[in-house]
Amino acid sequence: MDKIETIITEYSFKLILGSASPRRQELLKGLGFEFMNKPINVNEDSWPIDLEKQEICIYLAEKKADAYPEDLKEDELLITADTIVWCDGKVFNKPANFAEGKKMLEALSGKMHQVFTAVCLKSANKQTTFFDESKVYFKKLKSNEIEYYLTNFSPYDKAGGYGVQDWIGFVGIDKIEGSFYNVMGLPVKDLFEELIKF
C-alpha cells in the first residue's frame, strides 16, 4: 500500500459531511475518503449586514458547524461548507424561482463574477475555517439560452442560479481563473491538504 493510500484509508478521524449538496458529496467521495453524510439545515439567507465576499460564506460555514445537533466524539470530524457568488458588490444566493433565476443570470451575463467557498472543519477539540476564490467569466448569454437552462435544469439549489458542471457551463463560460471544483462547491485540493494537517 503506497503512502497516499495509507493516509486516506487509515485517516484518524471519522468524517461527517454536513451538507445536502450532491456535488459536495461527489467531490468528497472523489478524494477517496469514507464519510457519513448528515445534512444540516440553517437559514442561508441571513448574515450580519456588514459582511462582504468571503466573510459571508465563512460566517455561514461556521453557522452550519455550530448548528450540528450532536456532540462530536473524539474521533469525529465535521465538514461544513458554503458557496456564494459575488458580482457588482452584492451576493447572489440561491434563486427562489424561475423569475429570480433569470434575473440572476441576466446580471451575470457578459461579466466576471467571483465564487467564494468556505469550509469549516470541526472536531470535539478544534475548529478551523478556510476559503477559496475563483473568477468566472460568462459570455453574453442569450435570453433563450437562459430560459432553456432554467426550464430544463432547475438550478434552484445553486448559488448564482447556475451549476458550472451543467449545460450553461458548457455553452456560457468563457474561462475560469482558479479552481473549477471550488465553483462546484468544494475546493478539494485545499480540503485535502487541510484534512491531512488537521
Side-chain angles (χ1 to χ4, degrees):
M1 190 181 296
D2 63 35
K3 187 176 180 181
I4 294 296
E5 188 174 354
T6 302
I7 289 171
I8 293 172
T9 58
E10 297 181 5
Y11 191 67
S12 57
F13 285 103
K14 294 177 182 176
L15 299 182
I16 302 168
L17 179 63
S19 175
S21 166
R23 278 86 52 195
R24 292 196 181 113
Q25 295 169 38
E26 174 189 348
L27 291 172
L28 183 56
K29 185 177 180 181
L31 282 179
F33 292 96
E34 293 186 0
F35 62 94
M36 297 179 289
N37 191 55
K38 295 185 178 181
I40 299 169
N41 293 318
V42 300
N43 181 3
E44 298 181 14
D45 296 318
S46 175
W47 55 81
I49 59 172
D50 59 327
L51 299 185
E52 294 187 354
K53 298 184 176 182
Q54 73 272 11
E55 296 171 335
I56 296 171
C57 56
I58 288 171
Y59 174 85
L60 292 173
E62 293 178 346
K63 181 179 180 181
K64 292 173 184 179
D66 291 342
Y68 186 68
E70 302 172 27
D71 291 330
L72 290 168
K73 299 175 183 175
E74 290 291 326
D75 64 344
E76 292 180 333
L77 176 56
L78 175 66
I79 303 171
T80 58
D82 191 80
T83 300
I84 67 157
V85 168
W86 183 268
C87 186
D88 293 336
K90 60 183 179 180
V91 64
F92 288 63
N93 220 331
K94 299 171 184 176
N97 49 46
F98 183 96
E100 197 169 303
K102 186 176 181 182
K103 187 177 180 180
M104 282 187 183
L105 289 174
E106 287 173 344
L108 299 176
S109 174
K111 297 178 182 177
M112 181 278 290
H113 63 269
Q114 296 162 282
V115 178
F116 295 95
T117 298
V119 180
C120 180
L121 304 179
K122 183 177 184 179
S123 69
N125 304 306
K126 183 180 175 183
Q127 179 173 314
T128 186
T129 307
F130 62 95
F131 76 94
D132 195 16
E133 173 193 355
S134 302
K135 294 180 179 178
V136 181
Y137 295 77
F138 264 121
K139 73 171 190 180
K140 188 67 178 176
L141 297 169
K142 298 180 178 68
S143 182
N144 61 353
E145 292 172 335
I146 293 173
E147 291 172 1
Y148 173 82
Y149 175 63
L150 291 169
T151 300
N152 290 278
F153 293 87
S154 300
Y156 304 114
D157 63 337
K158 299 177 178 69
Y162 78 93
V164 66
Q165 72 280 6
D166 291 345
W167 182 85
I168 200 73
F170 300 158
V171 306
I173 293 178
D174 284 328
K175 66 177 179 177
I176 296 172
E177 295 176 0
S179 168
F180 172 88
Y181 299 108
N182 181 60
V183 184
M184 274 186 72
L186 204 59
V188 285
K189 178 185 72 67
D190 293 347
L191 175 58
F192 182 79
E193 293 171 356
E194 291 291 337
L195 285 174
I196 300 307
K197 285 195 304 184
F198 195 87

